[in-house]
Amino acid sequence: MKKLYIETYGCQMNVADTEVVFSILAKHGYGRTEEISEADVILVNTCSVRDNAEQRILGRLEQFNFIRRSRAGVLVGVLGCMAERLKDKLLDSGKVDIVAGPDAYRSLPALLEEASKGMPAIDVKLSRSETYADIVPARQDGRGVSAFISIMRGCNNVCSYCVVPYTRGAERSRDFNSILREASDCAAQGYKEITLLGQNVDSYRFEDKDFAALLAAVAEYCPGLRIRFATSNPQDISDAVLDTMVAHANICRHIHLPVQSGSDRILEKMRRRYTRAGYLERVAAIRGRMPDCVITTDVIAGFCSETEEDHADTLSIFREVGFDAAYMFYYSERPGTLAARNYPDDVPKDVKVRRLEEIIALQNGLSLESNRRDIGKRFEVLVEGPSKRDETRLCGRTAGNKMCVWTDTVHKPGDLVQVEVTGCTQATLLCTICPLQPAR
Ligand code: SAH
Ligand code: SF4
Ligand code: F3S
């Protein structure tokens, strides 16, 4: 059996795709290894979303090329979004043997076969229909705690800054029943939590079923699972989805709702299809139904033409919503996108960085406030494993996706336990285990 090592960068979709690749190649005699030193094939599943993500990966490819040249027979391949974006440029560098885009993973066995004969091999065709619906992912979390289920691929939104529609192709939804089947297989294998994944889950549509219908069906079909989903686009998250969350206690009270900017002028330039007022209306709709729902976001500082006033609007929408957590970035121009073609990247780097730091400082305070509000409350937490810093402590997440740590030598990964919050940092809830655990 040949040994396959895969390193994964980027979003959760890539993590899910890596599991599909392991599954496809397992059928062709490739076993998984965690050790680069014993790998016959090294694949890197890549991300193009920002330049620094790509630069880091290119650096890593140099290291893999070194291994490739010093150990005969080792093949190196690039998968995912950079494969799609850079195509044969990657092969021309002479540093890799295989390039496979996100819709080409079924051809990996053939590509590897070709490459093993010394011929560089590439497949970057995008598909209108590929969803890998029939492939059972070889999950990386073998402990049966939390599983990703991809429900759609691609994206049709074409936000002006974003490379994803070019690297992932057109949006397509996966067969409804295949999702239900995979969710119930996860439950049968002992997983306690699943996350339904797509770039824009609210535009899921398969025959007459929309995302609310899918969410309700999964929640009812798998009552023992905690159910998460990501990502929701502000213009598309419907009342029906919110009502479905309210109606099902096993759907986690957490919505990741990327705002990107608080300025209407910038939102329009970004081709986001909501306004500041529209965004705040959706937040009110969420909180009106689920006052305890955790809301997290993504933001981009320093997009083309952003003024200090636009930036102040972003800071103020952060204050107004009081996000529980955020992923924060400064704008990185991506070749080929609408913004790269139409708008100069005119906010100087030092200004971008300063604005980003201001957003981060504000959000750190908001995260701390959000966590302080939880002190004294009890939560059900899904145990992930020992805490990184202290082996006598366990860590795991609440339904709202907040990280908890507590002293515990009894429970194990995959257990659902009751904890009480006694303190916090901005990133973590410090808890004690409740003496009486409810039967479950
Ligand atoms: N589909 C999701 C986001 C996918 S990309 C959505 O629409 O919200 C994840 C995040 O990366 C985005 O939300 C955005 O905040 C950030 N991002 C995307 N392109 C970027 C760019 N060119 N520069 C900086 N950040 C970017
Ligand atoms: Fe990119 Fe916009 Fe699609 Fe999200 S919705 S993946 S930001 S184009
Ligand atoms: Fe990156 Fe591609 Fe995901 S660009 S964020 S890995 S869809």
Side-chain angles (χ1 to χ4, degrees):
M1 181 141 51
K2 292 207 165 146
K3 292 211 166 78
L4 167 65
Y5 172 88
I6 308 185
E7 207 160 278
T8 306
Y9 295 85
C11 61
Q12 295 170 328
M13 308 278 308
N14 260 12
V15 175
D17 280 1
T18 290
E19 296 171 345
V20 165
V21 171
F22 270 124
S23 173
I24 290 171
L25 287 175
K27 292 208 180 67
H28 288 81
Y30 291 88
R32 176 189 311 205
T33 176
E34 309 289 333
E35 300 299 326
I36 303 177
S37 57
E38 59 171 31
D40 301 295
V41 175
I42 300 173
L43 299 178
V44 194
N45 197 357
T46 60
C47 175
S48 288
V49 82
R50 283 170 292 275
D51 184 57
N52 55 13
E54 286 201 345
Q55 293 309 325
R56 207 171 68 222
I57 294 165
L58 289 173
R60 200 64 184 134
L61 284 174
E62 292 292 337
Q63 293 171 333
F64 291 145
N65 183 38
F66 180 78
I67 296 173
R68 174 174 167 266
R69 287 200 316 218
S70 51
R71 243 177 33 226
V74 174
L75 296 177
V76 172
V78 180
L79 313 179
C81 291
M82 278 173 80
E84 196 61 50
R85 196 178 85 72
L86 298 169
K87 301 188 169 65
D88 19 350
K89 278 195 205 130
L90 286 163
L91 284 187
D92 294 347
S93 73
K95 290 171 187 167
V96 304
D97 305 287
I98 291 165
V99 175
D103 289 343
Y105 298 149
R106 287 182 205 264
S107 47
L108 276 171
L111 296 174
L112 281 167
E113 178 72 32
E114 235 177 280
S116 67
K117 294 180 194 142
M119 282 175 308
I122 180 166
D123 186 348
V124 289
K125 276 191 296 296
L126 285 171
S127 159
R128 295 203 153 263
S129 58
E130 179 64 272
T131 59
Y132 301 112
D134 57 314
I135 291 176
V136 181
R139 304 204 186 275
Q140 264 159 321
D141 173 8
R143 304 163 308 168
V145 180
S146 190
F148 291 138
I149 300 185
S150 172
I151 64 163
M152 55 208 295
R153 298 181 72 80
C155 184
N156 282 352
N157 276 341
V158 199
C159 302
S160 64
Y161 51 81
C162 184
V163 77
V164 171
Y166 306 93
T167 62
R168 293 262 163 181
E171 182 183 286
R172 64 223 98 122
S173 294
R174 174 176 169 187
D175 178 285
F176 187 84
N177 288 322
S178 81
I179 298 171
L180 288 191
R181 216 175 305 125
E182 194 170 321
S184 81
D185 285 350
C186 286
Q189 287 160 21
Y191 284 91
K192 298 292 169 29
E193 180 179 273
I194 57 170
T195 306
L196 306 177
L197 292 179
Q199 293 299 352
N200 187 7
V201 288
D202 298 280
S203 69
Y204 177 86
R205 182 156 276 275
F206 189 80
E207 292 166 353
D208 59 339
K209 306 283 203 312
D210 64 5
F211 183 58
L214 177 69
L215 199 54
V218 173
E220 280 153 32
Y221 204 58
C222 305
L225 285 180
R226 296 213 298 196
I227 294 152
R228 300 183 181 284
F229 56 90
T231 299
S232 303
N233 272 48
Q235 74 275 4
D236 291 324
I237 187 163
S238 64
D239 287 348
V241 166
L242 302 180
D243 292 337
T244 303
M245 292 177 75
V246 172
H248 298 89
N250 59 331
I251 303 177
C252 290
R253 269 41 176 170
H254 172 212
I255 298 179
H256 186 60
L257 199 65
V259 66
Q260 313 299 4
S261 168
S263 152
D264 280 340
R265 195 181 66 82
I266 295 295
L267 286 172
E268 197 182 331
K269 266 191 120 108
M270 287 177 161
R271 280 186 98 245
R272 296 292 281 182
R273 288 174 297 131
Y274 52 89
T275 57
R276 178 188 177 100
Y279 187 90
L280 291 171
E281 187 279 322
R282 287 291 81 195
V283 169
I286 296 165
R287 295 220 167 118
R289 289 171 175 78
M290 297 170 282
D292 59 340
C293 189
V294 165
I295 302 179
T296 56
T297 202
D298 292 349
V299 68
I300 301 175
F303 184 63
C304 311
S305 87
E306 189 188 71
T307 63
E308 290 302 327
E309 203 185 335
D310 296 319
H311 171 58
D313 285 343
T314 296
L315 292 172
S316 78
I317 204 170
F318 267 63
R319 271 187 224 105
E320 207 164 323
V321 176
F323 293 112
D324 297 284
Y327 293 101
M328 298 161 278
F329 316 99
Y330 64 75
Y331 174 58
S332 164
E333 186 176 81
R334 308 314 293 132
T337 56
L338 290 176
R341 281 182 273 151
N342 298 328
Y343 311 128
D345 180 11
D346 53 3
V347 178
K349 173 82 181 281
D350 58 330
V351 176
K352 286 181 182 172
V353 170
R354 192 208 77 228
R355 289 181 188 166
L356 177 62
E357 281 169 356
E358 285 175 12
I359 299 170
I360 293 172
L362 172 60
Q363 182 55 47
N364 285 347
L366 293 173
S367 300
L368 185 61
E369 271 175 43
S370 160
N371 285 348
R372 280 198 181 131
R373 284 196 294 274
D374 288 337
I375 293 176
K377 291 187 193 159
R378 290 188 170 195
F379 290 102
E380 185 186 70
V381 168
L382 177 57
V383 179
E384 285 179 12
S387 111
K388 278 193 202 97
R389 295 212 195 117
D390 181 350
E391 289 265 314
T392 67
R393 299 209 286 176
L394 290 178
C395 69
R397 288 176 190 274
T398 66
N401 210 33
K402 289 192 178 179
M403 182 55 88
C404 298
V405 295
W406 67 96
T407 301
D408 187 337
T409 49
V410 178
H411 292 100
K412 53 184 195 313
D415 287 347
L416 283 159
V417 300
Q418 292 282 326
V419 299
E420 184 169 319
V421 183
T422 53
C424 69
T425 67
Q426 126 213 335
T428 313
L429 299 177
L430 310 172
C431 305
T432 54
I433 185 109
C434 296
L436 287 175
Q437 294 290 322
R440 207 187 137 101

